[in-house]
């Protein structure tokens, strides 16, 4: 899974679920997000080969997007995404047994909808991210994504 969250709002922007993810998949996900959400100032990620591939680096550089890689073995440097992934595991993945890839996509998609629109977040005053952003209570402007 490629999970992408907005570090400012905690909103899950997208989860790509597949058997294997490569740099082309990361570019596909990010290009969709750049078109719908705007181009961020930077993206934080781990040092996986799908994030360090030259084709992705060149593409991001051409768009003026900076990268902020976390040090190997230092998950605390990507704390928002690590917290999100822990919630995803505890609240969805540990409760399900997926029979097909499509079933996993549907169930994870339903969880993301609940996470963004219903589930309260203590860091947002016990409101979900999507309504919080829509109400403009943060003077919000997209500046960066966290991906892992």
């Amino acid at each position: 899974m490629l999970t992408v969250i907005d570090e400012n709002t905690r909103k899950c922007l997208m989860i790509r679920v597949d058997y294997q993810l490569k740099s082309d998949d990361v570019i596909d996900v990010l290009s969709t997000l750049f078109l719908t959400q705007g181009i961020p100032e930077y993206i934080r990620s781990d040092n996986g080969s799908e994030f360090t591939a030259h084709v992705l680096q060149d593409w991001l550089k051409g768009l003026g997007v900076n990268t902020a890689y976390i040090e190997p073995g230092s998950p605390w440097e990507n704390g928002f995404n690590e917290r999100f992934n822990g919630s995803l595991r505890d609240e969805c993945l540990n409760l399900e047994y997926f029979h097909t890839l499509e079933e996993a996509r549907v169930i994870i998609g339903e969880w993301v909808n609940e996470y963004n629109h219903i589930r309260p977040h203590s860091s947002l005053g016990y409101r979900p991210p999507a309504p919080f952003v829509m109400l403009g209570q943060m003077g919000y402007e997209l500046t960066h994504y966290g991906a892992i």
Side-chain angles (χ1 to χ4, degrees), residues 12-23:
C12 176
L13 300 174
M14 186 178 292
I15 297 181
R16 170 70 65 94
V17 179
D18 217 326
Y19 290 115
Q20 182 177 351
L21 296 165
K22 297 184 178 187
S23 60

Side-chain angles (χ1 to χ4, degrees), residues 29-114:
V29 166
L30 293 178
S31 62
T32 298
L33 290 173
F34 292 177
L35 289 171
T36 60
Q37 305 290 318
I39 297 176
E41 189 177 315
Y42 71 90
I43 295 174
R44 181 184 327 274
S45 71
D46 64 20
N47 291 294
S49 60
E50 67 276 18
F51 293 111
T52 59
H54 291 295
V55 66
L56 176 63
Q57 292 302 302
D58 293 344
W59 181 73
L60 290 171
K61 186 176 182 180
L63 292 172
V65 178
N66 297 307
T67 54
Y69 293 113
I70 65 171
E71 289 294 319
S74 303
W76 55 86
E77 291 181 3
N78 200 9
F80 294 128
N81 202 277
E82 292 295 331
R83 171 90 163 115
F84 173 82
N85 288 340
S87 296
L88 172 61
R89 169 126 341 257
D90 292 345
E91 299 171 15
C92 180
L93 303 179
N94 286 346
L95 305 176
E96 300 290 341
Y97 182 82
F98 304 115
H99 297 280
T100 66
L101 186 60
E102 188 58 31
E103 181 182 15
R105 289 175 177 151
V106 168
I107 290 171
I108 291 167
E110 290 171 352
W111 181 84
V112 167
N113 185 58
E114 181 178 325

Side-chain angles (χ1 to χ4, degrees), residues 1-2 30 38 63 72 84 86 97 100 106 116 123 130 133-134 143 145:
M1 289 187 298
L2 170 64
L30 293 178
L63 292 172
F84 173 82
Y97 182 82
T100 66
V106 168
N116 282 339
S123 63
V133 173
M134 289 173 34
T143 57
Y145 303 157

Side-chain angles (χ1 to χ4, degrees), residues 118-137:
I118 298 168
R119 180 185 180 276
H121 296 248
S122 60
S123 63
L124 301 176
Y126 294 94
R127 291 175 283 201
F132 193 70
V133 173
M134 289 173 34
L135 292 173
Q137 294 185 17

